Amino acid sequence: MNILMVASEATPFAKTGGLADVIGSLPAALAARGERVAVVIPGYRQNVYPNPPREAYRSLWIPLGPGYVVSIFQTTERGVDFYFVHCPALFDRDGIYGHVDDFMRFAVLSKAALGVARYLFRPEVIHCHDWQSALVPVYMAEHLRLDPTYSGVKVLFTIHNLGYQGMFGRETLAPIGLDPRLFNPEQLEFFGKVNYLKGGIAWSDAVSTVSKGYAREIQTRAFGFGLDDFLHKHGPVAGILNGVDYSEWNPEHDPNIAAHYSADDLAGKRECKRTLLAELGLPAGLDRPLAGIVSRFAAQKGFDLISEIASRLLEEDLSLAVIGSGDAEYESMFRSLAESYPDKVAVRIGYDDALAHRIEAGSDMFLMPSQYEPCGLNQIYSLRYGTVPVVRATGGLDDTIDEETGFKFREYSGSALLDAIRSALAAYQDRAAWVGMMRSGMRKDFSWGASAAEYAALYRRLRAESF
Ligand code: ADP
Ligand code: GLC
């Protein structure tokens, strides 16, 4: 079956978070099952291309705003065609998000993806991810309803994070080519703004998210970001857990780490810890437990809890290895912790994929105290690296970690987090039990197989509805 995915990032080309990991690996898993999959993402200035892309379509006219002429470039990775929307006026910039005209940048992405569907890859299902591609079904319904190219083409919309909805002023409707009548609470209007994600939910044929737990949570007031009722009304919301790509995240052959290891032979992990401590300038003692953090610094990730308990936490015999970037408030919080506790806390501000792998491999435990977590990938990577996760029991964290493999706390409070970390530190003292826990995690299999099969079944169900 032909499936066209549309998203704003994908490894190995462009990445800020887990969405890129998913778009870089789910298509290959589907292709391995015999599906034909293509992916459309922007041709950002920052894109990294393992193989040079070729121009697949020149001068596609996008009649939005002032009008844009875009080219489509193409390359193939692991049996999947990736198409890049080349539009220097919109994508040749510093930073891939956060521009004042993001409403136009991602409207053009959605329109261009429909051009790919017309000229380069004929899909039966278009699978859109997050608000950046949410206008695809809106344009299909509003601009292309009578166009036979798209008749019977179904749209699946996957929400990777309800906290980002793509909200813009009402005046953006005209430049993105949408009729003002859509500005009503049943369609695009949300508290006086245009809400792209709402469009994706309203016009798609099916909606899903990235864990069963999060699918339930987002239909409640506490996690719904104001869209809980709307989601419920357009439901059901399918929950399909993200898989992970063990060709990228596996201590048996990870090229970024100091020594390789497996559940059967853990010796290399000590070497990874030793070299990580040295790299970060932390004292060499291997017995003191080391907790890792690899994260975007956003309120979602729960770092206000770390800030709340910092002084009590660092009275414990524990070190922290942190890589992340994002909100200034958390960057300075972690920086000042490192200054106050130089022999216990090492922080690197920035984005560094290789260091992320070394922290996964060299740490004993991994902290994810998220306020909410749609799926979360780092805790799953941690399991494979024998790095015991300490997580808040929410969304995908709750679905992927159990008492055999990690430590969970439920209440969103500093003291609950501190209790969970103290339990982990106590458990660490019993080496045999700890190694048992590491091995249970390392033997878990979260590869894409089962989840790719669930997507394939959902695509088929959608296609069947068009006859
Ligand atoms: P989210 O998508 O909400 O950021 P996930 O856990 O799903 O959370 O995925 C995060 C991904 O981004 C992981 O692959 C993680 O290793 C990576 N990542 C996050 N921050 C950094 C960073 N500062 N440096 C390197 N990799 C990072
Ligand atoms: C989002 C979520 C994260 C999820 C990722 C991939 O960024 O915050 O939990 O793992 O998308 O689906």
Side-chain angles (χ1 to χ4, degrees):
M1 199 175 154
N2 287 3
I3 299 125
L4 182 64
M5 302 221 186
V6 190
S8 59
E9 45 183 272
T11 57
F13 312 105
K15 169 168 169 178
T16 69
L19 173 65
D21 292 322
V22 172
I23 307 303
S25 56
L26 168 61
L30 288 164
R33 294 178 51 88
E35 313 290 355
R36 285 192 63 215
V37 190
V39 181
V40 182
I41 68 166
Y44 301 110
R45 176 198 288 174
Q46 293 79 2
N47 281 14
V48 173
Y49 299 103
N51 300 302
R54 60 165 194 102
E55 192 176 58
Y57 197 91
R58 181 170 297 179
S59 302
L60 177 68
W61 172 242
I62 308 283
L64 301 181
Y68 296 90
V69 180
V70 311
S71 303
I72 306 294
F73 283 75
Q74 179 263 338
T75 186
T76 306
E77 284 283 329
R78 293 195 286 180
V80 176
D81 284 334
F82 284 84
Y83 293 102
F84 307 94
V85 178
H86 186 72
C87 180
L90 296 174
F91 298 126
D92 186 5
R93 310 248 179 110
D94 280 344
I96 79 175
Y97 303 126
H99 298 284
V100 284
D101 57 349
D102 276 355
F103 70 92
M104 182 59 77
R105 299 170 77 228
F106 295 106
V108 168
L109 171 68
S110 299
K111 272 274 177 186
L114 290 164
V116 170
R118 182 190 301 282
Y119 298 116
L120 294 166
F121 180 89
R122 284 293 177 103
E124 294 160 274
V125 169
I126 303 183
H127 187 170
C128 298
H129 300 265
D130 279 351
W131 72 264
Q132 293 89 351
S133 57
L135 294 184
V136 166
V138 186
Y139 286 139
M140 284 169 71
E142 284 293 303
H143 296 173
L144 303 164
R145 188 180 291 281
L146 300 177
D147 188 325
T149 303
Y150 306 92
S151 84
V153 175
K154 297 290 177 173
V155 177
L156 169 62
F157 184 62
T158 296
I159 297 169
H160 293 261
N161 192 329
L162 194 60
Y164 301 86
Q165 299 182 0
M167 280 191 271
F168 307 102
R170 177 181 197 158
E171 68 286 354
T172 57
L173 272 183
I176 62 170
L178 292 175
D179 194 289
R181 81 184 145 73
L182 304 181
F183 196 72
N184 71 77
E186 295 307 312
Q187 295 184 298
L188 288 178
E189 190 272 346
F190 186 71
F191 294 100
K193 300 272 195 191
V194 175
N195 183 324
Y196 282 31
L197 192 97
K198 207 169 164 180
I201 296 167
W203 273 271
S204 296
D205 300 289
V207 176
S208 75
T209 186
V210 290
S211 67
K212 295 213 169 8
Y214 195 60
R216 280 191 306 273
E217 285 172 351
I218 56 177
Q219 297 181 69
T220 66
R221 182 85 11 118
F223 291 91
F225 285 96
L227 288 176
D228 35 302
D229 287 342
F230 196 72
L231 276 164
H232 192 68
K233 186 167 149 199
H234 289 275
V237 180
I240 302 179
L241 192 71
N242 288 332
V244 306
D245 183 353
Y246 289 123
S247 69
E248 285 283 319
W249 294 94
N250 186 341
E252 290 176 47
H253 50 64
D254 185 335
N256 303 292
I257 64 179
H260 294 146
Y261 60 94
S262 65
D264 297 325
D265 179 5
L266 287 166
K269 188 163 172 72
R270 276 177 85 74
E271 187 51 29
C272 290
K273 182 172 179 181
R274 190 193 318 277
T275 51
L276 177 65
L277 291 171
E279 174 179 2
L280 296 177
L282 288 168
L286 286 184
D287 291 337
R288 178 192 282 173
L290 177 65
I293 290 178
V294 176
S295 190
R296 291 184 297 115
F297 289 161
Q300 169 200 347
K301 300 295 178 179
F303 298 128
D304 51 337
L305 300 187
I306 303 256
S307 158
E308 192 186 320
I309 61 165
S311 56
R312 281 176 290 160
L313 179 63
L314 291 158
E315 279 165 19
E316 303 288 339
D317 188 29
L318 165 83
S319 301
L320 286 182
V322 183
I323 167 91
S325 66
D327 295 358
E329 135 189 30
Y330 304 112
E331 294 192 1
S332 65
M333 187 269 287
F334 279 117
R335 272 205 186 94
S336 68
L337 275 186
E339 277 162 25
S340 311
Y341 301 90
D343 62 337
K344 284 194 156 176
V345 181
V347 173
R348 296 290 178 270
I349 303 294
Y351 184 89
D352 183 340
D353 184 55
L355 180 56
H357 286 250
R358 290 196 290 277
I359 291 181
E360 286 288 4
S363 302
D364 299 296
M365 41 190 92
F366 196 88
L367 304 184
M368 284 181 84
S370 307
Q371 236 169 54
Y372 72 91
E373 196 62 70
C375 176
L377 295 171
N378 278 304
Q379 82 282 13
I380 305 179
Y381 301 150
S382 298
L383 290 176
R384 182 51 59 106
Y385 282 77
T387 302
V388 174
V390 179
V391 305
R392 173 142 186 274
T394 182
L397 295 174
D398 200 14
D399 289 2
T400 53
I401 303 303
D402 57 34
E403 69 258 18
E404 269 173 42
T405 58
F407 295 85
K408 292 205 266 197
F409 64 102
R410 204 157 285 274
E411 183 189 277
Y412 189 72
S413 71
S415 56
L417 168 60
L418 191 58
D419 286 348
I421 296 175
R422 284 184 175 142
S423 307
L425 293 174
Y428 184 81
Q429 297 310 318
D430 180 346
R431 187 68 197 161
W434 186 261
V435 167
M437 200 166 194
M438 289 167 65
R439 290 205 165 110
S440 308
M442 294 177 86
R443 293 194 170 119
K444 291 269 173 196
D445 181 7
F446 286 98
S447 48
W448 270 109
S451 298
E454 283 188 65
Y455 278 116
L458 182 49
Y459 300 146
R460 282 186 172 63
R461 210 186 73 217
L462 287 174
R463 182 178 60 179
E465 283 169 9
S466 59
F467 295 109

